[in-house]
Amino acid sequence: MSLDSKSPAGPIAQKWDKHRFDMKLVNPANKRKYSVIVVGSGLAGGAAAASLAELGYNVSCFCFQDSPRRAHSIAAQGGINAAKNYQNDGDSVYRLFYDTIKGGDFRAREANVYRLAQVSAEIIDQCVAQGVPFAREYGGTLSNRSFGGAQVSRTFYARGQTGQQLLLGAYSALSRQIGLGKVKMYNRSEMLDLVVIDGQAKGIIVRDLVTGKITRHSADAVVLGTGGYSNVYYLSTNAQMCNVTAAWRAARKGAYFANPCFTQIHPTCIPVHGDHQSKLTLMSESLRNDGRVWVPKKKEDCGKKPSEIAEADRDYYLERKYPSFGNLAPRDISSRSAKEVCDEGRGVGPGGRGVYLDFADSIKRLGLKAIQDRYGNLFQMYEKITGENAYEQPMRIYPALHYTMGGLWVDYNLMSNLPGLFVIGEANFSDHGANRLGASALMQGLADGYFVLPYTIGNYLAQQKEKAPSTDHPEFVKAEQEVHDRLNKLMSIKGKRSPNSFHHELGHLMWENVGMARNEKGLKEALAKIPQIREEFWKNLNVLGDKEDLNNALERAGRVADFLEFAELLTLDALERKESCGGHFREEYQMPDGEAKRDDENFAYVAAWEFKGVGQAPVLHKEPLNYEEVHMSTRSYK
Amino acid sequence: MPLIKFLRSTVGLKIIMGLTGAALFAFTVIHMVGNLQIFLGQEALNNYAQMLHASDEVIWGFRLGLGAVAALHILCAVVLTIRNRAARGKESYAEYAAPGASLASRTMAVSGVIVAAFIIFHLLHFTTQTIDPSFKELTEIHKGAERHDVYAMVIKGFSVTWVSVFYIISVALVSFHLSHGIASCFRSMGLTNPAYREVQEWFGLAFAIIIFVGMAAVPAAVLLGLVKL
Amino acid sequence: MSTTSNSMTFNIRIWRQKNAQTPGKLVEYKLDGISPDMSFLEMLDQLNERLYAKGEEPVAFDHDCREGICGMCSLNVNGIPHGPDSQVTICQTHMRIFKDGQTITIEPWRSTAFPVIKDCVVNRSAFDRIIQAGGFVSVNTGGTPDANALPISKEIADLAMDAAACIGCGACVAACKNSSALLFVSAKASQLNLLPQGKAEKDRRVLKMVETMDAEGFGACTNTNSCEAVCPKGIPVTFIAQLNRDYAWAMLKGAAAEPKATVGGA
């Protein structure tokens, strides 16, 4: 079956305007009669909940942290893109659109991306009006920088804490609505199931993480802004509690999961130092502006101190392979190159999983002071974590899972194939294709939350004849019972292993076999092993403590159980996509020089998977990608 | 009612503490300057004392005003201390390092109570002369009229070793209180910004030392026999 | 037995409390095999894994991003919120700064306004309510002027950013002998009051935020600087002075936190 993206017809620049005009509106006086559930309070969820409440809808917002301000959007460092062309350097909506499509390796939907570029400018206006303290020039205008290899300076930033500042902006808007009584906020509350009635999403089942109480919540529409699934790899730069549960629960209820194999690896993270490691720390990519990446030419040198390795014995492999972009080669390329040299046995540091990022030349050229001014906080953070002084010896870096482009399938209205279920931000698949550009995640989350969903959800609600069902509806009763049964099961296995140990095991397998470079053998091996881990999980898990109490282990167990199902889908998608594009690299499909070999003839589609049961083969639905505006070209960063 | 809100809020009460604290500090400086006239001799000090007492209305007005300021300072301190204790909660830390806080800043309530006790003693000692009523009989003839010989009273008072030692210890506590209090006044009144913060902290510390030296100088000088009848 | 640099042993005294209703106590655990490269929370992960193996319930503590920005982690370590390392959260603190064999005492934030939920987890929703009272600019989505229409000097933007760096962890309250939340409140109020966008409702903002802060049961600021000393983002106490100033002005002007009801209004 082919999926309909519902992209409006007409010239690309007019699609959104026309669509907005064609959409049905909800009468202002009637808005309060509609209730909307927003799950997640990050950039997308927080912005959506606040905006919907401002419009007059009845909003309930749920987050599993102790406050909506903790959502993981807060950790984004670099910045947010917007086609403002404040620098007069030739930026435009069309250029941002083009760069995003190209950066996504031609696997994103044109109409969505164009709309994203269109609303990007409004986001900056909105955030400034909220009091987000973006960096400024002496003259009082906003400052911009070029980010992630972009040819124009379109990135707005607030020191190295742009995500934090944008999130706190959305949080303050949300807080205002909570204070006004227009949003009912549920902190420390986790969505454990979606309720679907007659094919439409009508509510959720929630566990209060403090009391363990399970409650039913009914609404006219459900919005998921629940982030990505990087933590399926156990170690990632995501926060510890980021998980796929909300999205996966929706997928189990019939929402299609699109392109799960499109995962992004960030090249500049602090390497793993031991088995006990709980997370990876990302360092801003801006470091690559002044650092040179190298490894020893000879394996024998890997154990030596970097200062003892002569210049002639160093391999500046990015400069060697990509002379024009050098150390600024795109994320996927520099990540994969790092893996290659480490696989060759030339990696440095614990376990040989690291490459040097050397600032010696820049310090010589610009002076220590200049480097301190630019990166002082990053060097300090590096020292806190590793105990090493990067002014004196090169940093060690290694790629880590960072962002997931895949997510629940949505149409142009950000609605999934389940009517009434909207998915926004990283949780959906829509705008980044196979690879996301730097500083575009924040843009997409806020675009969806502030400027897209509030319109499109109205169009859906205006067409709803029946009001939100009672929570006594049999589907609610059934869904709640299922949640209880599952929790009881998790509690009653009483095996020997902690949820964390299963997560660790799954993550290791995923990273090794479904990580940066994938091949058929490894993927098949993973597909064979994941069900085994899952089986062991349901046999040998041990969850201590009570169900009716704050119980981190129980929460974790539920999330790991979902990862164990989802991982199989991710792996299958990676196996079925027999091409290399963006964040998905199949070793069998590469150019003679090691570049990704995309197959537009056979794979220019969105793979949307329909869940058919645990251990059952999911059904693939394809949404063909038609490029009317942009010519599909081969990415080249040579 | 804004005023009631102000008086109920922790910030409002702290602003009042800042204002009253500043006034009490200013008085302390004037008091110290007055005291130091002892080193100019009997004539000068007694003239000064006579001048202060020239008008009953003025001195009583001043005394009542100062008393009210001190009372307000203490009242706010009591109210805030009760609220602060309640805010800290029943369960206390097994280990508490009071990071970054000077001893003076942590013990303002204690040093405040001791200072208040000292002031009461001081008033009973030299102002009402209740502790040693013989002070009342110390007079001198000046320009044909009889007047109180403050100079003699001070020397007589401080000739008792324990009294002098008690005064020196007490003014040390006053300056300890001020070492945090002066800068704290600026902060509570909202008169601090990044540019002036350090200056104010130095100012506070410097004046705390000056007050100690200036105040302790009198009993010390008497005790050492540098000032005598 | 000699200890190599790769293995440290600690005597962990950590607060265990089943729930808000049950009294808690410090419980001691001996923990060996800790690598100096572990983060503090990874050390606690190890403790929990060992407890798990013994069938004991693991210690509950709040954490999420583990990179010092989400503000979730909240442990008082050896008497200092976020532990002995300066200007970092406890999640960014690494074991190498502790001495092998040391006793480490771990307690939750203590404050009436932050009741303990379980073990070292406390409820900080009082902070949310302070923000809900006034920690925002009243602007709806859409219809905002161009971002460059309002020039803001770099100095003001930078100062606002210094204040905005607050992660809302509550270490300031935990460190203060009075459990005062004034550093938190003043950081948010100052950020918005400094910027031209936030000036329109400056008076109302400080009044509402201070009123809510007091109602939540936080204490008064006595300028001890403990908050500043433990703040993982190094937010200076000068913002407290700014809040006091803004508050005094609002009061002098007779501004009221509640707007007068308008007849026939929305």
Side-chain angles (χ1 to χ4, degrees):
Chain A
M1 192 188 91
S2 176
L3 280 163
D4 179 10
S5 72
K6 301 206 177 71
S7 296
I12 193 142
Q14 285 152 35
K15 280 181 198 279
W16 180 228
D17 269 355
K18 182 171 181 304
H19 189 62
R20 277 195 291 183
F21 179 73
D22 291 341
M23 279 193 284
K24 291 199 167 49
L25 297 173
V26 180
N27 179 320
N30 283 339
K31 287 205 176 91
R32 65 187 165 78
K33 295 180 188 158
Y34 291 99
S35 55
V36 180
I37 284 171
V38 179
V39 186
S41 63
L43 284 184
S51 303
L52 291 172
E54 287 162 7
L55 287 170
Y57 296 109
N58 245 320
V59 179
S60 304
C61 184
F62 298 81
C63 74
F64 59 68
Q65 295 93 342
D66 74 331
S67 160
R69 68 178 295 149
R70 314 265 186 234
H72 187 59
S73 311
I74 206 160
Q77 297 171 356
I80 175 166
N81 288 331
K84 278 284 196 187
N85 193 29
Y86 279 164
Q87 305 307 319
N88 197 29
D89 57 359
D91 198 13
S92 64
V93 167
Y94 200 91
R95 187 176 293 280
L96 176 56
F97 154 71
Y98 180 81
D99 287 355
T100 307
I101 288 280
K102 183 185 172 211
D105 223 355
F106 302 94
R107 291 293 175 266
R109 192 188 289 150
E110 266 188 345
N112 283 54
V113 177
Y114 195 88
R115 176 179 63 191
L116 174 68
Q118 274 177 309
V119 302
S120 67
E122 284 179 76
I123 297 172
I124 303 302
D125 300 342
Q126 183 65 34
C127 295
V128 165
Q130 287 170 344
V132 170
F134 283 120
R136 301 244 168 198
E137 306 293 349
Y138 281 105
T141 53
L142 288 156
S143 179
N144 290 115
R145 60 184 171 201
S146 154
F147 198 79
Q151 312 277 359
V152 291
S153 290
R154 62 160 76 100
T155 304
F156 294 79
Y157 61 99
R159 295 208 184 128
Q161 291 129 278
T162 318
Q164 179 201 24
Q165 293 311 313
L166 296 176
L167 179 68
L168 293 183
Y171 164 71
S172 71
L174 175 61
S175 293
R176 177 168 155 248
Q177 296 305 317
I178 298 169
L180 292 169
K182 293 184 178 163
V183 174
K184 175 96 182 81
M185 186 72 217
Y186 295 85
N187 296 338
R188 293 197 196 265
S189 297
E190 183 170 28
M191 167 183 158
L192 290 184
D193 214 347
L194 179 75
V195 180
V196 180
I197 298 176
D198 301 329
Q200 292 189 312
K202 288 292 179 190
I204 58 173
I205 306 293
V206 171
R207 177 168 182 266
D208 180 320
L209 298 182
V210 175
T211 62
K213 204 166 173 291
I214 309 289
T215 48
R216 309 169 194 167
H217 300 265
S218 145
D220 295 293
V222 176
V223 180
L224 299 185
T226 50
Y229 48 83
S230 295
N231 276 350
V232 71
Y233 291 87
Y234 185 72
L235 283 182
S236 80
T237 67
N238 278 17
Q240 289 277 294
M241 297 200 286
C242 291
N243 64 76
V244 77
T245 289
W248 187 245
R249 293 281 118 196
R252 287 178 60 116
K253 286 288 171 91
Y256 299 165
F257 210 106
N259 295 340
C261 77
F262 290 158
T263 54
Q264 187 172 66
I265 312 267
H266 195 286
T268 51
C269 300
I270 299 176
V272 178
H273 54 71
D275 237 11
H276 46 73
Q277 190 143 354
S278 61
K279 84 152 276 162
L280 296 170
T281 304
L282 180 148
M283 287 185 301
S284 170
E285 221 173 343
S286 61
L287 286 169
R288 291 202 281 149
N289 289 331
D290 286 305
R292 295 181 73 194
V293 177
W294 65 275
V295 287
K297 278 186 181 160
K298 290 177 285 193
K299 281 184 202 176
E300 308 84 76
D301 286 348
C302 289
K304 285 187 188 166
K305 279 189 187 148
S307 55
E308 289 166 2
I309 302 170
E311 197 60 33
D313 292 329
R314 299 176 177 192
D315 179 13
Y316 295 92
Y317 58 89
L318 284 177
E319 296 171 22
R320 173 170 57 81
K321 285 159 65 180
Y322 309 98
S324 68
F325 271 78
N327 296 299
L328 290 171
R331 288 178 174 180
D332 53 334
I333 291 175
S334 40
S335 298
R336 223 159 39 233
S337 304
K339 179 178 156 50
E340 270 166 33
V341 293
C342 291
D343 285 347
E344 288 164 16
R346 296 193 285 142
V348 295
R353 290 278 140 190
V355 300
Y356 288 125
L357 181 63
D358 200 335
F359 291 86
D361 284 353
S362 293
I363 292 173
K364 222 179 281 167
R365 184 163 43 92
L366 304 164
L368 185 65
K369 175 85 176 54
I371 297 298
Q372 275 169 339
D373 286 349
R374 280 182 205 177
Y375 310 111
N377 56 340
L378 292 169
F379 277 57
Q380 194 192 0
M381 177 174 85
Y382 182 79
E383 185 165 6
K384 291 266 183 216
I385 293 172
T386 61
E388 291 171 6
N389 181 345
Y391 295 107
E392 286 164 10
Q393 65 187 89
M395 278 185 184
R396 284 175 297 109
I397 56 168
Y398 199 64
L401 237 296
H402 169 56
Y403 185 89
T404 54
M405 282 72 68
L408 291 173
W409 183 86
V410 289
D411 63 14
Y412 187 72
N413 294 311
L414 304 182
M415 188 163 82
S416 78
N417 57 302
L418 284 180
L421 178 70
F422 291 79
V423 190
I424 54 179
E426 192 181 350
N428 74 24
F429 87 103
S430 72
D431 296 355
H432 304 298
N435 180 47
R436 179 178 63 77
L437 292 181
S440 280
L442 301 179
M443 172 172 70
Q444 186 226 339
L446 289 180
D448 288 0
Y450 284 134
F451 297 112
V452 181
L453 180 87
Y455 290 99
T456 57
I457 204 169
N459 183 44
Y460 169 78
L461 293 172
Q463 298 173 57
Q464 292 307 297
K465 296 274 177 309
E466 289 181 31
K467 292 283 115 200
S470 148
T471 52
D472 295 330
H473 190 283
E475 285 297 331
F476 270 99
V477 177
K478 192 174 137 224
E480 186 189 327
Q481 193 52 50
E482 280 167 9
V483 166
H484 275 296
D485 292 348
R486 189 158 175 271
L487 290 170
N488 285 334
K489 189 159 178 215
L490 289 168
M491 294 297 298
S492 64
I493 301 168
K494 296 274 172 252
K496 293 217 155 52
R497 290 175 58 184
S498 70
N500 192 41
S501 76
F502 286 102
H503 195 182
H504 204 294
E505 187 182 351
L506 172 70
H508 186 75
L509 175 70
M510 294 300 286
W511 179 244
E512 289 302 320
N513 292 34
V514 200
M516 264 185 283
R518 301 154 177 175
N519 59 50
E520 188 177 331
K521 183 171 160 280
L523 292 168
K524 285 193 166 153
E525 193 179 278
L527 278 178
K529 274 192 190 160
I530 295 166
Q532 291 168 13
I533 303 175
R534 195 165 60 219
E535 201 177 317
E536 162 85 0
F537 176 90
W538 287 105
K539 265 194 207 141
N540 201 15
L541 174 75
N542 188 15
V543 178
L544 296 163
D546 295 325
K547 199 154 65 86
E548 288 77 25
D549 223 348
L550 180 72
N551 190 335
N552 296 148
L554 178 60
E555 294 163 25
R556 187 73 176 265
R559 293 168 195 160
V560 173
D562 287 329
F563 276 136
L564 282 166
E565 292 174 16
F566 169 73
E568 204 173 355
L569 181 69
L570 196 168
T571 311
L572 180 70
D573 188 43
L575 181 67
E576 293 295 312
R577 192 168 278 279
K578 296 183 175 64
E579 63 162 350
S580 293
C581 67
H584 172 64
F585 187 80
R586 282 285 297 269
E587 286 167 353
E588 304 95 318
Y589 308 100
Q590 53 180 309
M591 303 290 197
D593 60 357
E595 284 304 302
K597 193 170 159 194
R598 216 175 60 215
D599 180 354
D600 292 337
E601 199 149 318
N602 295 307
F603 289 96
Y605 63 76
V606 175
W609 298 92
E610 184 183 357
F611 178 83
K612 284 288 175 190
V614 181
Q616 312 264 337
V619 174
L620 174 65
H621 302 270
K622 291 178 185 174
E623 179 201 330
L625 291 166
N626 301 315
Y627 286 89
E628 296 166 1
E629 277 297 318
V630 179
H631 172 67
M632 293 171 96
S633 62
T634 305
R635 248 179 10 145
S636 172
Y637 289 97
K638 287 262 172 185
Chain B
M1 266 292 287
L3 184 66
I4 292 173
K5 273 199 173 152
F6 185 78
L7 293 175
R8 274 196 192 147
S9 83
T10 48
V11 176
L13 290 171
K14 280 301 292 183
I15 292 172
I16 296 175
M17 287 209 66
L19 287 166
T20 51
L24 293 170
F25 165 63
F27 168 75
T28 313
V29 174
I30 296 164
H31 190 340
M32 177 188 76
V33 174
N35 290 358
L36 290 173
Q37 294 183 59
I38 199 166
F39 295 104
L40 299 177
Q42 189 169 22
E43 170 86 24
L45 187 68
N46 287 352
N47 282 348
Y48 174 68
Q50 196 178 17
M51 184 268 288
L52 290 181
H53 286 262
S55 150
D56 273 354
E57 287 81 2
V58 170
I59 193 158
W60 276 106
F62 193 77
R63 278 176 177 165
L64 288 175
L66 193 63
V69 166
L72 203 53
H73 192 75
I74 292 167
L75 187 68
C76 291
V78 170
V79 171
L80 286 174
T81 305
I82 292 169
R83 283 172 73 164
N84 292 345
R85 295 265 157 89
R88 188 98 293 295
K90 286 189 202 91
E91 193 77 58
S92 55
Y93 285 117
E95 269 185 47
Y96 178 61
S102 67
L103 185 63
S105 75
R106 282 183 282 135
T107 51
M108 289 299 273
V110 178
S111 62
V113 168
I114 299 173
V115 167
F118 162 64
I119 290 169
I120 291 167
F121 176 85
H122 176 55
L123 292 175
L124 293 172
H125 190 211
F126 283 145
T127 308
T128 66
Q129 297 144 7
T130 322
I131 290 170
D132 187 350
S134 72
F135 287 178
K136 289 201 175 88
E137 285 135 38
L138 297 169
T139 54
E140 64 160 3
I141 307 296
H142 179 72
K143 292 186 181 162
E146 193 184 35
R147 68 174 180 182
H148 189 217
D149 190 350
V150 173
Y151 186 80
M153 175 181 77
V154 171
I155 290 171
K156 189 172 177 207
F158 286 146
S159 300
V160 184
T161 310
W162 73 263
V163 171
S164 280
V165 171
F166 173 67
Y167 265 76
I168 291 170
I169 293 171
S170 298
V171 295
L173 266 167
V174 171
S175 61
F176 183 65
H177 193 78
L178 289 176
S179 70
H180 173 70
I182 298 170
S184 185
C185 282
F186 285 110
R187 199 103 58 84
S188 295
M189 293 188 292
L191 300 177
T192 308
N193 69 18
Y196 293 129
R197 175 183 180 183
E198 221 169 305
V199 177
Q200 289 167 355
E201 279 164 8
W202 280 112
F203 175 87
L205 215 56
F207 260 87
I209 294 166
I210 291 168
I211 298 266
F212 173 69
V213 173
M215 290 289 201
V218 179
V222 172
L223 215 53
L224 296 171
L226 299 175
V227 178
K228 52 193 160 194
L229 276 170
Chain C
M1 194 185 84
S2 70
T3 45
T4 67
S5 65
N6 279 324
S7 172
M8 300 169 94
T9 303
F10 296 102
N11 190 27
I12 304 294
R13 289 168 74 209
I14 191 161
W15 186 259
R16 303 300 312 254
Q17 181 172 346
K18 182 147 175 50
N19 51 38
Q21 293 76 41
T22 323
K25 60 175 194 294
L26 281 170
V27 176
E28 289 202 32
Y29 302 100
K30 194 112 181 145
L31 190 61
D32 56 9
I34 296 300
S35 149
D37 288 333
M38 280 183 191
S39 74
F40 196 86
L41 299 189
E42 283 164 357
M43 180 276 288
L44 287 182
D45 290 343
Q46 287 297 307
L47 173 67
N48 279 345
E49 284 292 320
R50 312 261 178 106
L51 290 178
Y52 231 99
K54 286 196 287 177
E56 274 182 58
E57 201 181 340
V59 184
F61 60 94
D62 266 333
H63 63 96
D64 198 15
C65 79
R66 298 202 176 195
E67 55 182 88
I69 194 74
C70 77
M72 194 95 175
C73 64
S74 44
L75 298 172
N76 199 72
V77 175
N78 289 345
I80 306 171
H82 290 309
D85 208 356
S86 70
Q87 296 211 2
V88 288
T89 53
I90 194 64
C91 70
Q92 290 175 300
T93 302
H94 283 68
M95 295 315 292
R96 67 178 77 87
I97 70 158
F98 293 92
K99 281 198 213 78
D100 191 16
Q102 194 178 340
T103 294
I104 302 177
T105 306
I106 306 166
E107 298 173 80
W109 285 172
R110 295 265 181 234
S111 165
T112 306
F114 290 166
V116 172
I117 293 172
K118 180 176 186 171
D119 294 342
C120 292
V121 176
V122 299
N123 181 350
R124 286 169 286 186
S125 55
F127 269 13
D128 284 334
R129 289 187 289 274
I130 293 173
I131 299 297
Q132 286 157 19
F136 48 77
V137 174
S138 294
V139 56
N140 283 358
T141 302
T144 50
D146 185 85
N148 259 350
L150 194 64
I152 301 172
S153 79
K154 182 168 164 41
E155 290 79 4
I156 293 292
D158 283 349
L159 194 59
M161 183 60 221
D162 287 343
C166 171
I167 58 172
C169 63
C172 45
V173 173
C176 177
K177 72 179 185 67
N178 311 321
S179 282
S180 169
L182 216 53
L183 190 65
F184 168 79
V185 175
S186 69
K188 183 46 77 182
S190 299
Q191 176 208 339
L192 299 176
N193 288 356
L194 278 163
L195 295 169
Q197 304 92 301
K199 289 239 194 290
E201 51 192 331
K202 181 177 166 192
D203 296 339
R204 193 176 130 75
R205 176 178 301 119
V206 284
L207 296 180
K208 289 289 275 181
M209 289 180 81
V210 168
E211 195 180 307
T212 310
M213 171 187 88
D214 285 343
E216 292 291 343
F218 293 103
C221 170
T222 56
N223 303 313
T224 67
N225 299 346
S226 282
C227 52
E228 180 185 71
V230 299
C231 177
K233 298 295 149 187
I235 294 173
V237 292
T238 42
F239 288 119
I240 294 180
Q242 191 192 323
L243 179 119
N244 292 340
R245 183 163 67 240
D246 290 347
Y247 185 82
W249 271 119
M251 279 294 177
L252 279 175
K253 284 194 262 175
E258 297 301 334
K260 285 207 181 78
T262 45
V263 181

